[in-house]
Amino acid sequence: MMQQRVKTISYSCMLAVAAVLLVQAWSLLGEREALAAQEQEVRQELAQAKQFALAHKDYEVYKKRLNAQVSKLENAGSRRSSVTACMRLVQRLAAEQGVQVQMVQGEGKQSLQLAAEGDFFAALRWLRRLEREGVCISELQAYQKAQGQTLEVELVVRLH
């Protein structure tokens, strides 16, 4: 009877150990699958990095060009989205060229109506600088004052 009891206890212990080992094997299988998925992601990222490196052999030049594009887009976006910022830009460029901005009216959130006056060539330089800075001029009228070097300009600047 005692031997029977010892056998039952030893079988119970073996079953318990087998259950513990089975649970550990199951958790290790889950970890292995997670590691395999992570390894696949790393391989994909490496392949993408290799393709990028082949496409952009001079990374520093690419990085500078990309940063320049990003800053240009940020500047253009902030300039276009804000009427106040656009007015400041127009007035700053006019002051740099010696052009007097006489009238600034907002036509809603879409455009500004401007009137300016200055030396003929200064006014032309001002208009060129506006274009270079990305200001979209939708309407432009220019008048030369009688017998003078002064140019009057009326324009509508479209905001995006």
Side-chain angles (χ1 to χ4, degrees), residues 63-156:
K63 185 177 171 183
K64 287 178 184 177
R65 191 173 348 135
L66 190 62
N67 287 337
Q69 287 175 345
V70 167
S71 65
K72 184 177 179 180
L73 289 173
E74 285 174 348
N75 290 340
S78 65
R79 184 171 51 249
R80 289 180 184 144
S81 64
S82 171
V83 175
T84 306
C86 186
M87 285 176 25
R88 276 192 225 136
L89 175 68
V90 167
Q91 290 173 341
R92 179 180 58 84
L93 293 175
E96 287 176 6
Q97 298 301 323
V99 175
Q100 300 287 324
V101 177
Q102 298 167 344
M103 178 182 66
V104 178
Q105 281 183 321
E107 294 181 354
K109 293 184 179 181
Q110 299 299 319
S111 60
L112 292 173
Q113 186 175 3
L114 305 168
E117 183 177 305
D119 177 67
F120 183 82
F121 294 107
L124 291 179
R125 282 192 303 270
W126 174 64
L127 291 171
R128 186 177 53 206
R129 287 284 309 272
L130 287 175
E131 276 190 333
R132 282 186 183 163
E133 292 293 326
V135 175
C136 182
I137 299 172
S138 60
E139 295 176 29
L140 173 66
Q141 294 179 353
Y143 308 98
Q144 186 173 4
K145 280 194 169 178
Q147 304 296 329
Q149 293 285 335
T150 304
L151 184 68
E152 289 183 25
V153 179
E154 292 180 9
L155 55 109
V156 176

Side-chain angles (χ1 to χ4, degrees), residues 24-42:
Q24 285 182 343
W26 186 262
S27 67
L28 289 176
L29 181 64
E31 287 179 26
R32 183 172 183 233
E33 289 175 356
L35 286 174
Q38 186 178 13
E39 181 182 0
Q40 182 64 25
E41 287 178 27
V42 169

